[in-house]
Amino acid sequence: MKHEICKVADIPETGSLIAPFFGREVHVYRSGERIRAAANVCLHFGGPLDCKDGKLVCQWHGASFDMTSGERIEGPASKGSRLMFLSTRVEDGALNYVWGE
Ligand code: FES
């Protein structure tokens, strides 16, 4: 099954696009040749993340995460925690969340 997140053409070359996702949000961004979609949820207490200086940084207590690996860089989120990436596929110019395939 699939669910469209956004059009590929709308994803910026740098930074991220915040797209709605079933009542929540995902950060969508380019990472080398890949397009990543990470839940806009901090792994500490669930705060929203900002895309800053090539990292995703929590607005609440400042945890930061690597945009490529999703790994926590610093801050109060648990060591070893990593962003929740969605499984995605590009089809007909759109980025889709896919599941159950
Ligand atoms: S909720 Fe993100 S650092 Fe606390």
Side-chain angles (χ1 to χ4, degrees):
M1 297 177 72
K2 67 178 183 179
H3 172 79
E4 182 174 319
I5 298 172
C6 65
K7 299 297 183 195
V8 171
D10 293 337
I11 304 169
E13 289 302 321
T14 59
S16 72
L17 166 76
I18 296 180
F21 184 73
F22 295 109
R24 301 200 177 188
E25 294 177 335
V26 290
H27 278 273
V28 182
Y29 52 92
R30 299 175 190 275
S31 178
E33 295 300 306
R34 300 184 69 180
I35 295 172
R36 308 298 308 251
N40 188 11
V41 176
C42 177
L43 279 300
H44 181 222
F45 280 147
L49 305 167
D50 287 329
C51 182
K52 269 191 201 165
D53 303 325
K55 299 180 282 192
L56 289 177
V57 181
C58 181
Q59 295 176 15
W60 289 358
H61 317 106
S64 60
F65 299 89
D66 184 282
M67 291 175 72
T68 301
S69 68
E71 290 175 2
R72 167 196 169 272
I73 299 168
E74 60 183 0
S78 303
K79 270 190 180 167
S81 60
R82 56 173 49 211
L83 298 173
M84 293 178 281
F85 289 115
L86 306 182
S87 54
T88 59
R89 184 174 62 227
V90 172
E91 228 175 69
D92 300 326
L95 181 71
N96 296 284
Y97 167 56
V98 292
W99 73 98
E101 296 183 353

